[in-house]
Amino acid sequence: METVLSFLAIIISIGTVIFEYIKELKFNRTNLEAIYYTDIYKEHLVYDIPNARKYIKIDRNNQLIGTDKLINELQKLRQDSLYFQYSNIKFYEELCEATQTLEDFLVKNTHEIYEGEEQTKIYNYIQNGINEVYRVISSGYLGKYNRKSLKITIE
C-alpha cells in the first residue's frame, strides 16, 4: 500500500512539474508577443490613426474629402503587420479584412456628395471602421483571435 501511495505521489509530482513548465512556456510566449504588439502598433493606434482621421471632413460642396492620410495609414498598418502573417495568421487575416473594408469604403466614397443625415452616417461608418481595427488589434493582443465582429452597414 505504501508503495502504491509513493508511486502515486511521484506521478503527481511529475505531472505538476510538466504542467507548470507548459504554463510557463505559454506565459513567456504571451509576454513576448505583447512586446511585438506594443512595438508594432503603439504609434499607429495612439498617434497616426487619430491624426489621419482628423483630416476627414465634408467640404462646402458636401463632398467627403481628406481621406488620403487615413488610407495611407491603413496601408502602413497592414504592411507593419506582416510578422503576424507567419506567427498568427487568424489575427493577420482579421486585421487585413478590417483595414481593407475601411480602406475600400474610403476610396469608393471620397468625393461623393452627402447631404443631411447621410453625412452623419458616413462619419459613423468611418468611426465604426476605425473602432473595428482597434478591436481586432486589442483582441490579438489579448489572445482572442476569433471574436465575432460587429458588421456595420450603411443604408
Side-chain angles (χ1 to χ4, degrees), residues 48-65:
D48 299 337
I49 292 174
N51 188 46
R53 167 61 183 93
K54 72 182 180 185
Y55 290 97
I56 297 174
K57 62 183 177 183
I58 305 287
D59 70 5
R60 284 188 227 144
N61 299 319
N62 294 325
Q63 288 183 332
L64 180 65
I65 62 168

Side-chain angles (χ1 to χ4, degrees), residues 35 60 76 87 90 98 105 107 112-113 118 135 147:
I35 292 168
R60 284 188 227 144
K76 281 194 268 182
S87 72
K90 289 179 184 177
F105 176 83
V107 168
E112 292 293 318
I113 296 175
E118 289 178 324
R135 185 203 61 78
R147 279 178 57 183

Side-chain angles (χ1 to χ4, degrees), residues 40-41 44 75-84:
I40 292 170
Y41 297 118
H44 291 289
Q75 291 170 350
K76 281 194 268 182
L77 186 66
R78 276 195 308 277
Q79 182 66 36
D80 290 350
S81 299
L82 285 174
Y83 163 79
F84 293 104

